[in-house]
Amino acid sequence: MEPARDSSEQALPALLLHSTNDTFPSTHTHLLPYQRVKIGRLTDTDAAPVSEPSDPSRAILFNFATVSRKHAEVWDEDGKIFIRDTGSSNGTFVNGERLSPEGEESQPFQLRTGDILVLGYDVVDDNGVVVHGKVAARVVCAFTEQDIHLVGDGPPF
């Protein structure tokens, strides 16, 4: 039997996302080895982006119009965290580089602490006002408790 986890301990490994544009609260998603976690848009029914996974807690959901319901997926493989765009319309970007053309799945891309992950892009009106924002986040790939506090220039999680 596994010992009880102290409430201050976080499940590891994990992907931590810290908003760079203050549009969502910081997230901490436990990554089980080789199990993919969906990233997508929150639907009206508050369910996962699609009927899979059956456990909505295995999804990272954002209430952003520029994020596709089935936008991307992340997973831990051999002590590394990967992301793959699953054919989103508005793109998945890591450090400014789009992972795949619109509507096409990307190859897996290794995320590293300090990367900037962007889902979608800002949609602006004729006056330059953002009407639909993007998800922009600083990435922390947490494998140890010390990693949880590595968020670069931002506040700790």
Side-chain angles (χ1 to χ4, degrees):
M1 183 171 179
E2 196 173 309
R5 196 180 281 276
D6 180 302
S7 62
S8 66
E9 285 184 51
Q10 301 288 335
L12 298 171
L15 174 66
L16 288 74
L17 300 176
H18 179 72
S19 177
T20 60
N21 56 359
D22 296 322
T23 56
F24 67 91
S26 296
T27 67
H28 177 118
T29 305
H30 179 218
L31 300 174
L32 300 172
Y34 301 97
Q35 290 190 12
R36 297 183 182 217
V37 174
K38 305 293 181 188
I39 300 175
R41 183 177 66 238
L42 186 67
T43 63
D44 291 338
T45 59
D46 234 18
V50 291
S51 59
E52 299 174 346
S54 58
D55 178 2
S57 69
R58 301 302 307 147
I60 303 169
L61 303 174
F62 295 98
N63 192 15
F64 287 73
T66 59
V67 175
S68 299
R69 288 179 297 140
K70 258 179 66 173
H71 198 100
E73 60 188 9
V74 293
W75 68 95
D76 167 48
E77 184 176 318
D78 299 326
K80 298 175 183 171
I81 296 177
F82 292 91
I83 188 166
R84 182 176 75 93
D85 187 298
T86 54
S88 71
S89 299
N90 296 324
T92 301
F93 303 81
V94 179
N95 301 325
E97 296 293 321
R98 188 170 183 154
L99 298 185
S100 62
E102 179 179 344
E104 292 184 24
E105 293 184 355
S106 74
Q107 294 295 314
F109 184 90
Q110 184 181 348
L111 289 173
R112 291 180 170 81
T113 295
D115 284 346
I116 300 298
L117 173 65
V118 174
L119 307 174
Y121 51 83
D122 287 338
V123 176
V124 297
D125 66 14
D126 293 338
N127 298 315
V129 175
V130 175
V131 292
H132 297 293
K134 64 188 173 194
V135 171
R138 189 179 320 98
V139 170
V140 174
C141 299
F143 295 97
T144 68
E145 287 293 318
Q146 292 78 17
D147 293 341
I148 292 172
H149 303 288
L150 298 175
V151 292
D153 299 324
F157 282 92

